[in-house]
Amino acid sequence: SLAPVSVPGSVRSVGYAAFSLCSSLPSVHLPASVTNISAYAFHKCNALRTVRIDASSPSIHSTAFNGVELKVLHTNMEQVADSEYIRSYFISSRVTLENVTFGDSVKGVGVSAFLQCSSLRHVNISANVESIGDNAFEQCTSLASVSVPGSVRSVGKGAFVQCSSLVDVSLGYGVESIGDNAFQDCTSLASVSVPGSVRSISEGTFQRCASLVSVQVPESVESIGDYAFEQCTSLASASVPGSVRSV
Protein backbone atom coordinates (compact mmCIF):
# COMPACT_ATOMS: atom_id res chain seq x y z
CA SER A 1 0.00 0.00 0.00
CA LEU A 2 1.62 3.25 -1.19
CA ALA A 3 1.23 6.35 1.01
CA PRO A 4 0.81 9.85 -0.43
CA VAL A 5 3.90 10.77 -2.45
CA SER A 6 5.69 14.10 -2.13
CA VAL A 7 8.50 14.21 -4.66
CA PRO A 8 11.64 16.02 -3.36
CA GLY A 9 12.98 19.19 -4.96
CA SER A 10 16.02 17.35 -6.30
CA VAL A 11 13.87 15.51 -8.88
CA ARG A 12 13.77 16.96 -12.38
CA SER A 13 11.89 14.24 -14.25
CA VAL A 14 9.38 11.48 -13.53
CA GLY A 15 10.21 8.61 -15.85
CA TYR A 16 8.24 6.32 -18.13
CA ALA A 17 5.60 4.38 -16.14
CA ALA A 18 7.40 5.34 -12.91
CA PHE A 19 4.29 4.92 -10.75
CA SER A 20 2.15 2.98 -13.21
CA LEU A 21 -0.44 0.66 -11.63
CA CYS A 22 0.25 1.87 -8.09
CA SER A 23 -3.39 1.21 -7.34
CA SER A 24 -3.36 2.48 -3.73
CA LEU A 25 -1.59 5.79 -4.31
CA PRO A 26 -4.01 8.53 -3.07
CA SER A 27 -2.14 11.79 -3.78
CA VAL A 28 0.96 13.22 -5.42
CA HIS A 29 2.80 16.52 -4.93
CA LEU A 30 5.18 17.40 -7.76
CA PRO A 31 7.42 20.37 -6.83
CA ALA A 32 8.53 23.17 -9.14
CA SER A 33 11.77 21.28 -9.88
CA VAL A 34 9.86 18.62 -11.85
CA THR A 35 9.80 19.86 -15.44
CA ASN A 36 9.09 16.56 -17.20
CA ILE A 37 6.44 13.92 -16.57
CA SER A 38 6.86 11.04 -18.97
CA ALA A 39 4.38 8.76 -20.70
CA TYR A 40 2.28 6.56 -18.41
CA ALA A 41 4.04 7.98 -15.32
CA PHE A 42 0.88 7.53 -13.23
CA HIS A 43 -0.98 5.19 -15.56
CA LYS A 44 -4.04 3.62 -13.96
CA CYS A 45 -3.29 4.74 -10.41
CA ASN A 46 -6.89 3.95 -9.59
CA ALA A 47 -6.93 5.54 -6.12
CA LEU A 48 -5.16 8.75 -7.15
CA ARG A 49 -7.56 11.60 -6.40
CA THR A 50 -5.36 14.63 -5.63
CA VAL A 51 -2.48 16.03 -7.68
CA ARG A 52 -0.47 19.18 -7.09
CA ILE A 53 1.82 20.46 -9.86
CA ASP A 54 4.01 23.41 -8.87
CA ALA A 55 6.10 23.83 -12.06
CA SER A 56 4.97 26.71 -14.26
CA SER A 57 5.64 25.11 -17.65
CA PRO A 58 6.36 21.40 -17.29
CA SER A 59 6.39 18.99 -20.20
CA ILE A 60 3.65 16.46 -19.51
CA HIS A 61 2.99 13.57 -21.85
CA SER A 62 -0.66 13.20 -22.80
CA THR A 63 -0.72 9.69 -21.27
CA ALA A 64 1.05 10.60 -18.00
CA PHE A 65 -2.22 10.46 -16.04
CA ASN A 66 -4.00 7.97 -18.27
CA GLY A 67 -6.82 6.21 -16.41
CA VAL A 68 -6.55 8.53 -13.38
CA GLU A 69 -9.85 9.95 -12.14
CA LEU A 70 -8.85 13.03 -10.16
CA LYS A 71 -11.13 14.93 -7.82
CA VAL A 72 -8.73 17.70 -6.73
CA LEU A 73 -6.17 19.50 -8.90
CA HIS A 74 -3.76 22.22 -7.76
CA THR A 75 -2.03 23.49 -10.88
CA ASN A 76 0.54 26.19 -11.51
CA MET A 77 0.85 25.28 -15.19
CA GLU A 78 0.91 28.08 -17.72
CA GLN A 79 -0.66 25.53 -20.08
CA VAL A 80 -4.04 26.19 -18.45
CA ALA A 81 -4.15 29.08 -20.94
CA ASP A 82 -3.95 26.62 -23.85
CA SER A 83 -6.98 25.10 -25.54
CA GLU A 84 -8.65 22.02 -24.03
CA TYR A 85 -6.37 21.79 -20.99
CA ILE A 86 -8.20 18.96 -19.26
CA ARG A 87 -8.62 16.93 -22.43
CA SER A 88 -4.91 17.36 -23.19
CA TYR A 89 -3.48 16.21 -19.85
CA PHE A 90 -6.20 14.75 -17.64
CA ILE A 91 -8.77 13.29 -20.04
CA SER A 92 -9.82 10.53 -17.61
CA SER A 93 -10.65 13.19 -14.99
CA ARG A 94 -13.06 15.16 -17.16
CA VAL A 95 -16.19 13.85 -15.43
CA THR A 96 -14.72 13.29 -11.93
CA LEU A 97 -12.83 16.53 -11.21
CA GLU A 98 -14.49 18.49 -8.38
CA ASN A 99 -12.01 21.12 -7.20
CA VAL A 100 -9.42 23.20 -9.08
CA THR A 101 -7.00 25.76 -7.67
CA PHE A 102 -4.76 27.90 -9.88
CA GLY A 103 -1.25 28.94 -8.84
CA ASP A 104 0.30 32.34 -9.48
CA SER A 105 1.87 31.29 -12.80
CA VAL A 106 -1.54 30.74 -14.38
CA LYS A 107 -2.21 33.86 -16.46
CA GLY A 108 -5.22 32.69 -18.42
CA VAL A 109 -7.84 29.97 -18.75
CA GLY A 110 -7.84 28.72 -22.31
CA VAL A 111 -10.55 27.94 -24.84
CA SER A 112 -12.62 24.93 -23.66
CA ALA A 113 -10.08 24.37 -20.87
CA PHE A 114 -12.60 22.71 -18.55
CA LEU A 115 -15.31 21.93 -21.09
CA GLN A 116 -17.92 19.45 -19.78
CA CYS A 117 -16.24 18.90 -16.43
CA SER A 118 -19.64 17.94 -15.12
CA SER A 119 -18.58 17.27 -11.49
CA LEU A 120 -16.60 20.49 -11.07
CA ARG A 121 -17.96 22.29 -7.99
CA HIS A 122 -15.26 24.78 -7.01
CA VAL A 123 -12.73 26.84 -8.98
CA ASN A 124 -10.26 29.13 -7.25
CA ILE A 125 -9.19 31.65 -9.90
CA SER A 126 -6.02 33.39 -8.74
CA ALA A 127 -5.48 37.15 -8.92
CA ASN A 128 -2.87 36.72 -11.69
CA VAL A 129 -5.37 35.39 -14.24
CA GLU A 130 -6.00 38.00 -16.95
CA SER A 131 -8.43 36.23 -19.29
CA ILE A 132 -11.00 33.46 -19.37
CA GLY A 133 -11.28 31.95 -22.84
CA ASP A 134 -14.26 31.05 -24.96
CA ASN A 135 -16.26 28.11 -23.58
CA ALA A 136 -13.70 27.70 -20.79
CA PHE A 137 -16.21 26.26 -18.31
CA GLU A 138 -19.03 25.32 -20.68
CA GLN A 139 -21.41 22.68 -19.30
CA CYS A 140 -19.75 22.52 -15.88
CA THR A 141 -23.17 21.58 -14.60
CA SER A 142 -22.20 21.18 -10.92
CA LEU A 143 -20.47 24.57 -10.57
CA ALA A 144 -22.52 26.56 -8.06
CA SER A 145 -20.50 29.76 -7.67
CA VAL A 146 -17.62 31.55 -9.29
CA SER A 147 -15.57 34.58 -8.32
CA VAL A 148 -13.81 36.31 -11.20
CA PRO A 149 -11.06 38.58 -9.81
CA GLY A 150 -10.45 42.11 -11.02
CA SER A 151 -7.21 41.00 -12.70
CA VAL A 152 -9.36 39.37 -15.41
CA ARG A 153 -9.94 41.79 -18.27
CA SER A 154 -12.03 39.57 -20.52
CA VAL A 155 -14.52 36.74 -20.08
CA GLY A 156 -14.82 34.86 -23.35
CA LYS A 157 -17.78 33.85 -25.46
CA GLY A 158 -19.82 31.11 -23.85
CA ALA A 159 -17.36 30.95 -20.96
CA PHE A 160 -19.97 29.65 -18.52
CA VAL A 161 -22.74 28.65 -20.92
CA GLN A 162 -25.07 25.92 -19.62
CA CYS A 163 -23.61 25.95 -16.10
CA SER A 164 -27.06 25.01 -14.89
CA SER A 165 -26.23 24.94 -11.14
CA LEU A 166 -24.52 28.32 -11.12
CA VAL A 167 -26.30 30.50 -8.54
CA ASP A 168 -23.74 33.13 -7.59
CA VAL A 169 -21.37 35.07 -9.87
CA SER A 170 -18.96 37.71 -8.60
CA LEU A 171 -17.29 39.84 -11.26
CA GLY A 172 -14.42 41.93 -9.93
CA TYR A 173 -13.85 45.56 -10.85
CA GLY A 174 -11.41 45.35 -13.75
CA VAL A 175 -13.43 43.07 -15.99
CA GLU A 176 -13.95 45.09 -19.17
CA SER A 177 -15.35 42.61 -21.66
CA ILE A 178 -17.96 39.86 -21.28
CA GLY A 179 -18.30 37.81 -24.46
CA ASP A 180 -21.43 36.77 -26.30
CA ASN A 181 -23.53 34.15 -24.51
CA ALA A 182 -21.11 34.09 -21.57
CA PHE A 183 -23.79 33.04 -19.06
CA GLN A 184 -26.44 31.77 -21.44
CA ASP A 185 -28.66 29.00 -20.03
CA CYS A 186 -27.35 29.43 -16.48
CA THR A 187 -30.84 28.57 -15.35
CA SER A 188 -30.15 28.80 -11.58
CA LEU A 189 -28.48 32.23 -11.66
CA ALA A 190 -30.61 34.50 -9.47
CA SER A 191 -28.76 37.83 -9.43
CA VAL A 192 -25.69 39.45 -10.88
CA SER A 193 -23.92 42.74 -10.30
CA VAL A 194 -22.04 43.99 -13.33
CA PRO A 195 -18.90 45.93 -12.26
CA GLY A 196 -18.30 49.54 -13.27
CA SER A 197 -15.39 48.56 -15.50
CA VAL A 198 -17.62 46.79 -18.06
CA ARG A 199 -18.27 48.79 -21.27
CA SER A 200 -20.94 46.63 -22.88
CA ILE A 201 -23.22 43.68 -22.22
CA SER A 202 -22.85 41.48 -25.27
CA GLU A 203 -25.30 39.51 -27.35
CA GLY A 204 -27.05 36.76 -25.40
CA THR A 205 -24.94 37.29 -22.27
CA PHE A 206 -27.72 36.26 -19.88
CA GLN A 207 -30.11 34.70 -22.38
CA ARG A 208 -32.51 32.13 -20.88
CA CYS A 209 -31.31 32.70 -17.30
CA ALA A 210 -34.78 31.78 -16.10
CA SER A 211 -34.09 32.37 -12.38
CA LEU A 212 -32.53 35.82 -12.80
CA VAL A 213 -34.52 38.24 -10.64
CA SER A 214 -32.49 41.45 -10.65
CA VAL A 215 -29.70 43.12 -12.60
CA GLN A 216 -27.61 46.18 -11.76
CA VAL A 217 -26.16 47.79 -14.88
CA PRO A 218 -23.42 50.34 -14.08
CA GLU A 219 -22.87 53.78 -15.61
CA SER A 220 -19.85 52.47 -17.54
CA VAL A 221 -22.06 50.37 -19.85
CA GLU A 222 -22.81 52.00 -23.20
CA SER A 223 -24.62 49.21 -25.01
CA ILE A 224 -26.73 46.13 -24.33
CA GLY A 225 -26.62 43.56 -27.11
CA ASP A 226 -29.28 41.55 -28.90
CA TYR A 227 -30.96 38.86 -26.80
CA ALA A 228 -28.89 39.90 -23.77
CA PHE A 229 -31.72 39.10 -21.35
CA GLU A 230 -34.09 37.19 -23.63
CA GLN A 231 -36.35 34.72 -21.82
CA CYS A 232 -35.23 35.83 -18.37
CA THR A 233 -38.74 34.99 -17.26
CA SER A 234 -38.20 35.82 -13.54
CA LEU A 235 -36.61 39.21 -14.10
CA ALA A 236 -38.49 41.69 -11.92
CA SER A 237 -36.00 44.55 -11.69
CA ALA A 238 -33.46 45.98 -14.12
CA SER A 239 -31.75 49.33 -13.74
CA VAL A 240 -30.50 50.78 -17.04
CA PRO A 241 -28.37 53.95 -16.63
CA GLY A 242 -28.33 56.99 -18.89
CA SER A 243 -24.91 56.00 -20.23
CA VAL A 244 -26.51 53.29 -22.36
CA ARG A 245 -26.83 54.43 -25.96
CA SER A 246 -28.05 51.24 -27.58
CA VAL A 247 -30.27 48.35 -26.52
Side-chain angles (χ1 to χ4, degrees):
S1 179
L2 194 60
V5 170
S6 183
V7 176
S10 57
V11 174
R12 300 287 180 264
S13 178
V14 179
Y16 180 89
F19 293 91
S20 180
L21 300 173
C22 290
S23 58
S24 298
L25 178 64
S27 66
V28 172
H29 178 195
L30 300 169
S33 62
V34 176
T35 57
N36 180 69
I37 304 173
S38 302
Y40 300 105
F42 297 94
H43 173 65
K44 290 192 176 179
C45 291
N46 293 333
L48 186 56
R49 296 293 178 263
T50 301
V51 167
R52 176 169 178 161
I53 300 173
D54 288 345
S56 61
S57 55
S59 174
I60 301 181
H61 195 277
S62 61
T63 64
F65 293 92
N66 184 56
V68 173
E69 297 182 345
L70 291 179
K71 289 185 178 293
V72 179
L73 175 63
H74 300 263
T75 179
N76 198 37
M77 294 171 61
E78 295 173 357
Q79 290 97 319
V80 173
D82 296 341
S83 296
E84 300 191 346
Y85 173 71
I86 289 296
R87 289 174 183 262
S88 298
Y89 302 104
F90 304 99
I91 183 61
S92 300
S93 300
R94 186 172 58 83
V95 297
T96 62
L97 191 64
E98 295 180 357
N99 190 311
V100 174
T101 299
F102 298 145
D104 290 342
S105 292
V106 178
K107 306 299 184 188
V109 183
V111 173
S112 302
F114 295 90
L115 175 68
Q116 297 175 335
C117 288
S118 57
S119 296
L120 188 62
R121 300 179 186 279
H122 178 74
V123 177
N124 185 355
I125 302 174
S126 65
N128 286 355
V129 173
E130 297 173 356
S131 64
I132 297 175
D134 296 350
N135 309 102
F137 296 97
E138 180 180 353
Q139 294 182 39
C140 290
T141 53
S142 296
L143 190 63
S145 66
V146 65
S147 179
V148 178
S151 59
V152 173
R153 294 292 176 259
S154 63
V155 177
K157 296 179 180 179
F160 296 93
V161 68
Q162 295 181 23
C163 289
S164 55
S165 297
L166 192 61
V167 174
D168 180 40
V169 173
S170 174
L171 299 172
Y173 187 91
V175 176
E176 297 174 355
S177 171
I178 303 174
D180 295 352
N181 313 109
F183 296 96
Q184 184 186 62
D185 292 316
C186 291
T187 53
S188 298
L189 187 62
S191 66
V192 63
S193 180
V194 180
S197 50
V198 171
R199 310 275 182 199
S200 65
I201 296 176
S202 301
E203 180 176 326
T205 299
F206 299 101
Q207 188 176 27
R208 294 192 295 273
C209 290
S211 298
L212 191 63
V213 175
S214 65
V215 176
Q216 298 261 342
V217 180
E219 294 283 347
S220 59
V221 171
E222 298 177 356
S223 65
I224 298 174
D226 296 345
Y227 310 108
F229 297 96
E230 185 194 23
Q231 295 185 46
C232 291
T233 54
S234 299
L235 190 62
S237 173
S239 177
V240 179
S243 59
V244 174
R245 300 287 181 265
S246 172
V247 178

